[in-house]
Amino acid sequence: MIALTEIGSYVPAGRVSNFERQSDLNLDEAFIRNKLGVHAVSRMAADEDASDLGVQAFKRLRSADELRLGLDCLAVCTQNPDGHGIPHTSAVVHGKLALPEACAAFDLGLGCSGYVYGLAVVGSFLQTHGLSRGVLLTADPYSKIVDPNDRNTAPLFGDGGTATVLRADAPSGEGWEASAFVFSTRGAEGAALHNNAGPLQMNGRAIFNFAATAVPQQVHACLEKAELAAEQVDLFVFHQGSKYILDTLQRRLKLNPDKVAVSLAEHGNTVSSSIPLTLEPHLANPNVRTVLLSGFGVGLSWASCVLRRRGTSRS
Amino acid sequence: MAVKPEDIVALILESAPDLRIGEGDLQRPLADLGVDSLDKANVLLEVQERFGVVVPDEDMDSLDSVSAIAGYINSRSGTTG
């Protein structure tokens, strides 16, 4: 079986405070704190690009040196690739990290559902082709397409990158296994979040209605597929769209608020990086053995799965 | 059965229990009651799910009070208050 063994993350140091931009964006402090839940959005430096977010996240892996010598598969999930998109960002990362030639490298063009998709794609790729080590990078700097004066998007989206290690050669009982994947797409409503004219445009109400209705249905389907009751899940890691979306999902799914992970305040919604950034600090918590992941957004696209800590069984 | 303004107040308080909305507030602008754009989107989603009345985006701005929302639902569902 393929095991998720480690997550590395990189959030660039640049910040734009939403409190300092209250008057520019016509926001009040209570709305920033209680509804957006984002105090500041992270911004990469002028000399950084998507590949740098991925490279920095990769370098923060404990196993980085070992993987650089023997990586079989590198996937980069991004919708804002380096430059104009050619060559693909995974190839740019491959070059910057001086990875072996015998390493597959490809991009995944997905937004907020991309992490769950990426786990499925890389895990399946390794398994199907008899490969041992893969890394899924998420690196989607939406700052490249956000209009800084758009109050719908500018105070929400932040830059960040993550690296998730998937291995077929992990020692028995180590790491996490992903299962019970459920995928959905509603392309006919893709206009709710797009950048057809250049800058990102979001119909906040449409996205809210989608998230509040479609995601709970998929979460129930995922739980059923995993043969789990919601109470048996130790942690729910949803895409960090906004605090209001997270609160709405918690309320509609009738979840214990303590089981819904939140990590928005200091960097914002980092698109496909938001789930792994939120998940990473919990991987070492021995009380967390079963986690449900659910990503949703651009597409419209949404995907959910369950992670189970290996070497544990639940009665 | 006609929807009453009190039904809309109950919907608002489900997701924003800290708000205080009294009888004298039913025709006041929602923003003055502390109901922001996200709360309003949530209330209109609940309206859609519970009463089967879909509010198109172009009607959003006109529904700026509790009474206006209740009246809109009743006019679309063929009931009167």
Side-chain angles (χ1 to χ4, degrees):
Chain A
M1 286 294 291
I2 305 298
L4 185 165
T5 57
E6 188 184 358
I7 295 175
S9 61
Y10 169 67
V11 179
R15 291 290 184 281
V16 176
S17 164
N18 284 335
F19 298 118
E20 290 176 8
R21 297 208 63 208
Q22 274 180 233
S23 59
D24 297 347
L25 298 172
N26 190 26
L27 302 170
D28 63 48
E29 184 175 336
F31 190 83
I32 293 170
R33 288 188 189 282
N34 303 327
K35 298 299 172 63
L36 299 182
V38 180
H39 302 173
V41 287
S42 49
R43 290 289 179 262
M44 64 182 181
D47 61 353
E48 287 183 311
D49 210 333
S51 64
D52 300 296
L53 302 179
V55 165
Q56 291 302 322
F58 186 103
K59 287 181 175 177
R60 283 160 171 75
L61 293 167
R62 292 187 304 276
S63 55
D65 290 342
E66 176 200 357
L67 290 169
R68 284 175 85 153
L69 296 173
L71 190 64
D72 299 311
C73 171
L74 174 74
V76 176
C77 183
T78 187
Q79 294 186 315
N80 289 282
D82 277 26
H84 296 286
I86 297 176
H88 43 298
T89 298
S90 52
V92 178
V93 171
H94 182 278
K96 288 183 176 179
L97 289 170
L99 296 174
E101 279 194 12
C103 174
F106 53 87
D107 288 6
L108 298 170
L110 287 161
C112 307
S113 65
Y115 185 69
V116 175
Y117 264 92
L119 291 179
V121 170
V122 176
S124 302
F125 191 85
L126 295 178
Q127 199 149 27
T128 300
H129 301 292
L131 303 172
S132 295
R133 302 175 199 92
V135 169
L136 167 64
L137 299 180
T138 59
D140 207 346
Y142 262 43
S143 63
K144 291 170 73 167
I145 55 168
V146 164
D147 174 352
N149 295 313
D150 179 2
R151 70 188 298 271
N152 284 333
T153 56
L156 271 181
F157 289 95
D159 299 336
T162 70
T164 298
V165 181
L166 296 168
R167 303 184 70 136
D169 60 355
S172 176
E174 186 178 300
W176 301 72
E177 278 179 17
S179 63
F181 284 90
V182 185
F183 309 100
S184 304
T185 309
R186 194 179 291 167
E189 294 181 16
L193 189 55
H194 69 91
N195 73 333
N196 292 337
L200 185 68
Q201 295 182 52
M202 180 171 74
N203 179 334
R205 184 187 175 208
I207 291 293
F208 171 78
N209 286 351
F210 154 65
T213 55
V215 175
Q217 286 179 16
Q218 188 180 73
V219 166
H220 285 305
C222 180
L223 288 170
E224 188 173 339
K225 194 170 182 180
E227 299 182 339
L228 286 171
E231 297 73 29
Q232 292 176 288
V233 175
D234 301 312
L235 191 70
F236 290 82
V237 181
F238 296 111
H239 165 59
Q240 306 283 296
S242 70
K243 182 175 184 296
Y244 196 74
I245 292 274
L246 294 173
D247 289 345
T248 298
L249 292 175
Q250 177 269 319
R251 193 177 67 251
R252 285 185 158 238
L253 284 160
K254 298 181 172 57
L255 304 176
N256 177 342
D258 294 337
K259 286 189 172 185
V260 179
V262 183
S263 73
L264 276 161
E266 301 308 319
H267 45 70
N269 170 352
T270 53
V271 198
S272 53
S273 294
S274 82
I275 290 176
L277 273 175
T278 308
L279 174 64
E280 182 197 356
H282 298 280
L283 292 181
N285 180 351
N287 296 321
V288 176
R289 295 179 298 170
T290 306
V291 183
L292 189 143
L293 311 181
S294 185
F296 48 87
V298 179
L300 301 174
S301 171
W302 61 120
S304 302
C305 72
V306 167
L307 288 181
R308 286 184 168 97
R309 188 185 289 277
R310 302 213 308 171
T312 60
S313 61
R314 187 181 287 279
S315 57
Chain B
M1 195 169 77
V3 173
K4 301 186 182 94
E6 293 78 7
D7 299 327
I8 305 304
V9 172
L11 282 184
I12 294 172
L13 296 181
E14 276 184 26
S15 60
D18 295 338
L19 297 182
R20 296 287 173 266
I21 304 174
E23 283 186 19
D25 297 324
L26 303 181
Q27 300 196 34
R28 292 178 61 196
L30 293 174
D32 291 357
L33 308 180
V35 178
D36 58 41
S37 56
L38 286 172
D39 296 321
K40 188 172 170 182
N42 184 63
V43 168
L44 296 183
L45 176 60
E46 296 283 354
V47 162
Q48 181 177 321
E49 291 181 330
R50 298 191 193 194
F51 305 115
V53 174
V54 177
V55 180
D57 285 348
E58 52 268 29
D59 289 349
M60 282 277 284
D61 288 346
S62 66
L63 301 183
D64 196 33
S65 70
V66 169
S67 294
I69 295 173
Y72 185 92
I73 297 168
N74 290 328
S75 69
R76 296 300 163 116
S77 57
T79 55
T80 57

